[in-house]
Amino acid sequence: MANDRIETTSVSRDVVETDPIVLRETPTRRLVFLPTIVDRDRPLRGCFVYQRCARDDDWEDVLGENFNSLKSDEGWALELHSDELANLMDGLLACKQLYERHGIRWGEHEFIDRDSLPQIVHSLIDSPDGELAEVLATLQPEAIVALGRKVDLSQLDALLDVWLENGDNADEAFWQKLLAQHAWVFSQLTGSPVVVLQERAYVGGKGINNRGGGEVDFLVRNSLTHNVAFVEIKTPTTPICAAPYRTSGAFSLHKELSGGVVQVLGYRESFEKTFNHLRLESGLDDFPSYNPRCILIAGSADALQPDEARSCELFRNALSDGQVWTFDEVVARLRGIREALAAPLSGPT
């Protein structure tokens, strides 16, 4: 956990989990404290966990012996050095202050410590009517717009660089994390202003044996109409077409693509069946579900031969309840946004 930046994920209406507090770490192992914030007078709880680095560079918990297996003459101790204890105290204090300032927020959020902000931002926060604010107020609208466009361009360029550098990255978790950090991309895909309502959203489907069920990668909501939509993420390497179908020039769609379409449509079906129950359990009662849109992002159009591209277009244009976007089509749309931002503010005189 970086105390100047804390991410939280809700697990119920009054409980959120936060980033692990790293106490000691090697390239392959680390000891962390996993803090949880609960909505009560004493808001902090958690546990110590050893973790190992998995092949995908994610950290996974190392399951140890249960204390119930210890004999009467056996014991177990965890010693913390002074710097490790200091890290633990600082992390817990940051979590406590976060709760005191913001309480419990549903969904996934990232909080930035005020003290870590640049001094110029502090000046504006502390003195909204001060000299700096007065100077900014005198700027022409064109100058303010140009400044905002420059910031947007910088962020967009950084996203495009990461996107293009990972064109052959087959790790779904990487793409989900990248899009979670740049959720505004979903507005470009849907053509409507949307916000991420929940990442890895449970959409129902469990049986009485508590098995089954599904989690859609992103449950998004139109910020004006509040209607929800489902977004499922694959990777740029996901195959789109399979073998040719007879001699008609048509190609069968690859099972990864057709399966992904059916998967996200199935998520919607499960969600619709248990919508009222899921909405009540989540503590969110301000979003409806009116025939939600289903979106799949998978594969790359550039890799298709002409007949394959024709088959892909015929397939996805025939979909009435789902949309399929390839990763390079998303890049093309982002580049179009960049060109619009980089264009002169006014035409030639």
Side-chain angles (χ1 to χ4, degrees):
M1 171 189 294
N3 295 336
D4 60 345
R5 188 181 299 266
I6 301 177
E7 295 183 358
T8 64
T9 302
S10 59
V11 295
S12 70
R13 186 178 302 185
D14 57 356
V15 179
V16 297
E17 295 176 346
T18 74
D19 298 326
I21 302 173
V22 181
L23 304 178
R24 69 180 69 141
E25 183 174 355
T26 69
T28 58
R29 296 266 179 160
R30 70 179 188 178
L31 171 65
V32 301
F33 184 81
L34 302 179
T36 302
I37 304 176
V38 295
D39 191 14
R40 57 185 61 170
D41 293 338
R42 297 179 179 177
L44 299 183
R45 68 187 187 199
C47 60
F48 293 96
V49 175
Y50 279 101
Q51 297 180 331
R52 60 169 167 257
C53 187
R55 292 182 179 180
D56 55 2
D57 291 333
D58 287 335
W59 292 94
E60 58 184 16
D61 296 348
V62 177
L63 300 178
E65 294 290 337
N66 191 304
F67 286 158
N68 293 331
S69 65
L70 294 177
K71 299 178 181 179
S72 60
D73 58 346
E74 295 178 335
W76 188 84
L78 175 63
E79 179 183 3
L80 296 181
H81 301 294
S82 57
D83 56 339
E84 296 169 349
L85 186 58
N87 289 340
L88 176 62
M89 298 297 292
D90 290 343
L92 292 176
L93 179 61
C95 290
K96 183 174 183 293
Q97 293 174 341
L98 177 67
Y99 172 76
E100 292 171 346
R101 292 175 182 173
H102 303 284
I104 299 294
R105 300 277 187 92
W106 175 261
E108 295 192 355
H109 297 276
E110 182 178 19
F111 298 92
I112 299 176
D113 182 27
R114 182 180 182 279
D115 294 336
S116 67
L117 297 173
Q119 185 57 43
I120 190 172
V121 178
H122 278 277
S123 300
L124 287 172
I125 295 175
D126 296 335
S127 303
D129 299 322
E131 182 178 357
L132 178 58
E134 291 179 0
V135 171
L136 291 176
T138 64
L139 294 177
Q140 294 297 319
E142 293 81 1
I144 297 176
V145 172
L147 179 61
R149 285 161 60 122
K150 185 174 182 180
V151 173
D152 289 341
L153 275 173
S154 177
Q155 294 177 344
L156 186 52
D157 285 340
L159 172 59
L160 284 170
D161 287 344
V162 174
W163 198 292
L164 295 174
E165 289 172 0
N166 289 274
D168 57 353
N169 191 329
D171 182 8
E172 287 188 25
F174 168 83
W175 292 105
Q176 181 172 337
K177 182 177 180 180
L178 183 66
L179 284 168
Q181 294 170 341
H182 301 277
W184 55 269
V185 171
F186 297 125
S187 294
Q188 305 305 317
L189 297 181
T190 62
S192 304
V194 301
V195 295
V196 174
L197 189 62
Q198 179 66 41
E199 182 183 354
R200 302 301 302 172
Y202 170 65
V203 292
K206 285 189 178 182
I208 59 175
N209 58 0
N210 202 34
R211 294 181 179 178
E215 290 182 339
V216 69
D217 287 335
F218 292 96
L219 180 66
V220 302
R221 177 179 65 181
N222 186 306
S223 60
L224 298 179
T225 67
H226 304 299
N227 195 25
V228 295
F230 301 90
V231 182
E232 186 68 16
I233 309 297
K234 301 304 180 183
T235 77
T237 63
T238 300
I240 294 178
C241 289
Y245 181 73
R246 298 184 177 178
T247 59
S248 63
F251 278 77
S252 301
L253 276 297
H254 197 280
K255 64 179 182 180
E256 290 295 328
L257 184 76
S258 58
V261 172
V262 175
Q263 180 185 38
V264 69
L265 290 174
Y267 286 156
R268 185 182 68 175
E269 180 192 30
S270 296
F271 182 83
E272 292 284 275
K273 288 180 178 178
T274 56
F275 169 67
N276 289 327
H277 176 69
L278 292 172
R279 184 168 61 171
L280 180 63
E281 273 200 342
S282 71
L284 299 173
D285 57 3
D286 60 345
F287 67 92
S289 178
Y290 305 130
N291 192 25
R293 185 180 305 184
C294 297
I295 299 172
L296 173 70
I297 305 176
S300 296
D302 285 344
L304 299 176
Q305 298 299 319
D307 282 345
E308 292 176 324
R310 171 177 171 270
S311 297
C312 176
E313 285 295 281
L314 290 173
F315 170 77
R316 65 180 183 175
N317 289 339
L319 294 173
S320 59
D321 291 337
Q323 292 183 337
V324 177
W325 284 81
T326 63
F327 277 77
D328 46 357
E329 286 175 327
V330 177
V331 167
R333 178 161 290 202
L334 296 180
R335 283 174 168 163
I337 298 172
R338 194 202 182 286
E339 291 176 2
L341 289 173
L345 289 174
S346 58
T349 58

